[in-house]
Amino acid sequence: MARLVMKFGGTSVADIERIRNVARHVKREVGAGHEVAVIVSAMAGKTNELVAWCREASAVYDADEYDAVVASGEQVTSGLLAICLQAMGVNARSWQGWQLPVHTSDAHGSARILDINGKALIERFRQDREVAVIAGFQGVHKDTNRITTLGRGGSDTSAVAVAAAIQADRCDIYTDVDGIYTSDPRVVPRARRLEKIAFEEMLEYASLGAKVMQVRSVELGMVHNVRIFVRSSFDRPEDIDPHGTPPGTLICNEEDIVEQQVVTGIAFSKDEAQISIRRVQDKPGVAAAIFGPLAEANINVDMIVQNVSADGATTDLTFTVPAADYDRATGVLAKAKDKIGYERLDGANDIAKVSVIGIGMRSHAGVAAKAFRALAERGINIRAITTSEIKFSVLIDAAYTELAVRTLHSLYDLDTVRHS
Ligand code: ASP
Ligand code: MG
């Protein structure tokens, strides 16, 4: 017997037929003797609709009420799944964030989970073999008693947090792909599924725009050492052996990965913009003057590269922002021009970031140099480079994304071997 968390995303609960399919997956695990807590998202597209309704109601809206509205999508699916399970003869009960409760901070719209009481759930597993169906994405602020939500994609974080709270043996993330791939299979047809990936690598993947899991959920999994298993919800529930090893990717501790390749995968994101501030004064406080106003405008800055000043007086500073924020970011910087003190702004909003990830890089030299050579041979110009212990990223023109990603994927021997 194991204790499992099963999390189903929006596409897996998009309609009643699919919710019934989810119920069959749950029934399979319960039938195998496992204790199960299920976390559900809202039906696909529902949260977007709810957010749009808030905006339609008023251009400026109260964050508490936004949460009251957008949390409702998960209330619906948790109740519906409990109904479907009961109809199949499985004892089940739905739980909203405030009922468990899932206590969070009061940062409405992007609240952080503070604690979850797992005891009640465990007791009910024991006494009534009752499946807990928990509305993902939502919680409650202890002092104000108001409903909160965890930020878009937050039901992944709900799932991992519940898994930690009930000391689950595994947290299964059921999604529309059957695991984490060495790269996006739509771009790299030879990408292959990874059996295992280390938390740190997955964090890089998630941060770099692989939309499989919310970044925070991976952080939480790493802190609490939750074994997270990414698997497909579209396999027929009856075809899966609950005691076997289904296809999927286990996100786990580095030590649990026996055969570690130097490079694990190639991630990329196309929706990047690059901003270069030319001849900015090279003196204390300038970076704060630049990034302070951007942070206040809620613009996420990434990949900051500052040159060493040649004349001791001025320097160039380059960074990236999401392409959608490009106009806003340049607007903010233009407004602060006098305060910052620079000559001019250059930029481009059709930029891609391609990243090579692998914990093996810690102990291998020359991994990046090899990539630079290969990209140069294909005539791809690198606009900026950043590195960290387990990854490096290059900025290139978006038009070359596919070529760059495929080139690097082959370069590091990640292509599937085709037997003919
Ligand atoms: N329904 C929420 C969203 O769309 C939470 C989630 O699905 O993870 O962002
Ligand atoms: Mg999601």
Side-chain angles (χ1 to χ4, degrees):
M1 188 206 72
R3 186 174 294 155
L4 300 178
V5 165
M6 305 172 74
K7 185 259 166 177
F8 293 89
T11 44
S12 312
V13 294
D15 56 38
I16 301 295
E17 199 38 56
R18 290 197 189 172
I19 293 177
R20 221 172 260 139
N21 194 56
V22 166
R24 304 211 312 270
H25 277 292
V26 175
K27 185 176 177 166
R28 177 192 69 229
E29 302 295 350
V30 174
H34 301 320
E35 296 175 343
V36 180
V38 191
I39 281 73
V40 285
S41 293
M43 290 181 179
K46 193 67 199 173
T47 310
N48 288 343
E49 186 183 34
L50 296 168
V51 171
W53 282 349
C54 291
R55 293 200 179 125
E56 199 185 322
S58 168
V60 213
Y61 46 78
D62 183 77
D64 296 31
E65 299 311 335
Y66 164 92
D67 278 350
V69 174
V70 300
S72 66
E74 275 74 9
Q75 175 159 348
V76 172
T77 46
S78 57
L80 287 172
L81 178 57
I83 292 175
C84 288
L85 283 165
Q86 290 167 2
M88 289 175 190
V90 177
N91 194 14
R93 187 51 75 201
S94 71
W95 297 85
Q96 305 309 300
W98 60 270
Q99 288 173 312
L100 263 183
V102 176
H103 283 136
T104 72
S105 68
D106 66 350
H108 284 276
S110 59
R112 277 182 181 273
I113 295 178
L114 301 176
D115 66 83
I116 297 179
N117 184 358
K119 282 206 194 93
L121 297 184
I122 295 171
E123 236 157 69
R124 294 168 82 124
F125 292 150
R126 293 268 149 83
Q127 283 171 10
D128 312 314
R129 290 182 49 84
E130 185 181 272
V131 173
V133 185
I134 300 163
F137 183 50
Q138 46 161 285
V140 63
H141 180 53
K142 207 184 210 159
D143 302 338
T144 59
N145 221 14
R146 306 300 312 179
I147 292 172
T148 53
T149 62
L150 309 179
R152 298 306 305 271
S155 53
D156 295 326
T157 302
S158 307
V160 175
V162 167
I166 64 173
Q167 287 120 39
D169 296 288
R170 214 174 62 218
C171 179
D172 282 351
I173 305 287
Y174 286 82
T175 178
D176 46 10
V177 289
D178 65 354
I180 311 297
Y181 277 70
T182 49
S183 196
D184 185 341
R186 284 166 303 187
V187 170
V188 186
R190 297 190 149 199
R192 54 188 166 76
R193 184 165 46 76
L194 295 159
E195 290 298 316
K196 291 180 177 180
I197 184 169
F199 283 117
E200 274 184 75
E201 292 171 326
M202 188 60 204
L203 256 185
E204 295 287 358
Y205 261 75
S207 315
L208 288 165
K211 294 187 179 62
V212 185
M213 288 189 75
Q214 200 195 34
V215 177
R216 249 187 223 178
S217 69
V218 184
E219 284 168 358
L220 204 64
M222 186 154 92
V223 171
H224 295 283
N225 198 10
V226 175
R227 288 163 68 84
I228 302 171
F229 189 58
V230 179
R231 56 190 294 184
S232 168
S233 67
F234 294 124
D235 296 330
R236 266 173 42 93
E238 292 74 18
D239 294 344
I240 300 169
D241 171 7
H243 301 289
T245 354
T249 302
L250 184 70
I251 308 172
C252 58
N253 264 327
E254 191 175 330
E255 295 80 53
D256 298 333
I257 303 176
V258 184
E259 237 172 279
Q260 186 64 56
Q261 283 199 295
V262 178
V263 168
T264 304
I266 317 290
F268 61 91
S269 72
K270 274 188 176 176
D271 304 316
E272 305 275 332
Q274 177 190 334
I275 297 176
S276 295
I277 307 185
R278 303 296 183 197
R279 296 183 63 81
V280 62
Q281 294 172 61
D282 193 15
K283 63 168 196 207
V286 164
I290 294 170
F291 297 115
L294 290 172
E296 268 161 39
N298 241 322
I299 297 169
N300 249 327
V301 174
D302 185 40
M303 261 188 106
I304 304 173
V305 188
Q306 184 182 334
N307 283 343
V308 177
S309 173
D311 55 8
T314 64
T315 182
D316 288 352
L317 204 138
T318 294
F319 55 90
T320 59
V321 296
D325 290 335
Y326 178 66
D327 290 339
R328 243 164 25 92
T330 49
V332 167
L333 293 171
K335 232 168 97 189
K337 184 171 183 189
D338 289 341
K339 220 163 146 205
I340 302 168
Y342 60 84
E343 193 180 285
R344 61 170 209 279
L345 287 181
D346 291 336
N349 63 357
D350 50 353
I351 301 296
K353 179 169 68 175
V354 178
S355 305
V356 177
I357 300 165
I359 44 179
M361 271 184 224
R362 276 199 204 115
S363 45
H364 284 78
V367 181
K370 201 169 146 184
F372 303 152
R373 211 172 306 125
L375 293 175
E377 276 163 17
R378 302 278 182 304
I380 301 172
N381 184 41
I382 300 172
R383 291 167 156 261
I385 303 167
T386 58
T387 62
S388 78
E389 216 187 1
I390 65 158
K391 72 135 206 258
F392 64 89
S393 305
V394 295
L395 279 193
I396 58 170
D397 289 341
Y400 292 107
T401 315
E402 280 80 6
L403 179 61
V405 173
R406 283 184 203 142
T407 299
L408 297 176
H409 199 269
S410 308
L411 184 70
Y412 295 110
D413 295 326
L414 297 171
D415 291 351
T416 28
V417 191
R418 295 263 162 90
H419 302 280
S420 51

